[in-house]
Amino acid sequence: MDVNLRLAQQPDADALLGRSPLAALVGMLLDQQVPMEWAFAGPYTIAERLGGDDLDAREIAAYEPEAFAALLSAKPAVHRYPGSMAKRVQQLCQYLVEHYDGDAAAVWEGVGSGKELLKRLQDLPGFGKQKAQIFLALLGKQLGVRPTGWREAAGAYGEQGAYRSAADITGPESLAKVRAHKQELKAAKKARKPL
């Protein structure tokens, strides 16, 4: 995997996301309750704090939990909720070690169908259906992972020409379109709520 991603909107962080399947998975895991760029810059910050230029699932899985939480909590924090996200990142890495020999790319390599890939992603700790569909769309749209039926399995996130999620961000302009879409959804939801 060596592609140009623009999710963090920071060259070094995006370069890591583009070459490291684990960094991309961790960025997706962190993408909640914080701006997307902050979430996807997280893997780079973690790698730097671990003293490397990539993430290693075995190293993170084996890291002492309190020390790993402290690593994510150091200023500037990797996430708004660094302690709980440290736990989730470790759970994800432990799962990858246990089920995929620590190789994040093995989650999608050689998979037979979009439906199977969606199930594999949903089995990952911290990946509900929506997060799994967004990551599946990211794999298909930007990373060239396109098993049969991937767009259907990704749901609305797999639609061509859509600006719904991280899967659709290729630079500042598309980021603005995704943000506008999310604001529209928020406004529509608010309008439906009874007073």
Side-chain angles (χ1 to χ4, degrees):
M1 182 169 118
D2 199 5
V3 297
N4 247 346
L5 292 178
R6 303 276 304 274
L7 301 171
Q9 304 287 302
Q10 297 174 22
D12 290 340
D14 282 330
L16 176 60
L17 295 170
R19 72 175 182 271
S20 170
L22 180 56
L25 268 179
V26 169
M28 188 74 233
L29 179 68
L30 295 172
D31 188 20
Q32 61 186 55
Q33 299 179 317
V34 295
M36 187 197 64
E37 306 94 308
W38 185 5
F40 282 98
Y44 180 75
T45 304
I46 295 169
E48 272 193 316
R49 291 179 184 175
L50 288 171
D53 62 355
D54 199 354
L55 299 178
D56 181 286
R58 291 183 185 284
E59 178 185 10
I60 293 171
Y63 216 88
E64 198 282 315
E66 284 185 25
F68 192 67
L71 190 96
L72 270 66
S73 298
K75 302 288 182 208
V78 170
H79 193 275
R80 182 176 174 188
Y81 303 107
S84 63
M85 291 316 263
K87 185 176 179 180
R88 286 185 179 195
V89 170
Q90 284 196 290
Q91 289 170 338
L92 172 64
C93 290
Q94 289 160 354
Y95 184 89
L96 291 171
V97 168
E98 187 178 322
H99 296 273
Y100 295 99
D101 199 29
D103 180 7
V107 174
W108 54 84
E109 286 175 347
V111 73
S113 69
K115 188 176 178 181
E116 180 187 347
L117 179 50
L118 180 62
K119 185 193 179 317
R120 285 186 181 191
L121 291 169
Q122 283 185 264
D123 287 345
L124 297 174
F127 278 69
K129 183 176 183 182
Q130 182 180 29
K131 191 175 288 281
Q133 285 183 311
I134 292 169
F135 196 76
L136 175 51
L138 177 67
L139 287 169
K141 290 179 175 183
Q142 296 197 48
L143 301 176
V145 177
R146 299 180 180 123
T148 304
W150 73 269
R151 283 192 190 274
E152 294 78 10
Y157 300 106
E159 291 174 8
Q160 200 163 358
Y163 292 97
R164 287 189 169 85
S165 71
D168 305 305
I169 296 174
T170 56
E173 188 178 304
S174 53
L175 174 61
K177 289 180 181 180
V178 168
R179 284 229 162 87
H181 173 73
K182 289 184 178 194
Q183 289 301 325
E184 288 170 19
L185 289 178
K186 208 179 269 188
K189 187 176 180 180
K190 196 175 184 178
R192 287 193 304 265
K193 275 189 177 177
L195 295 174

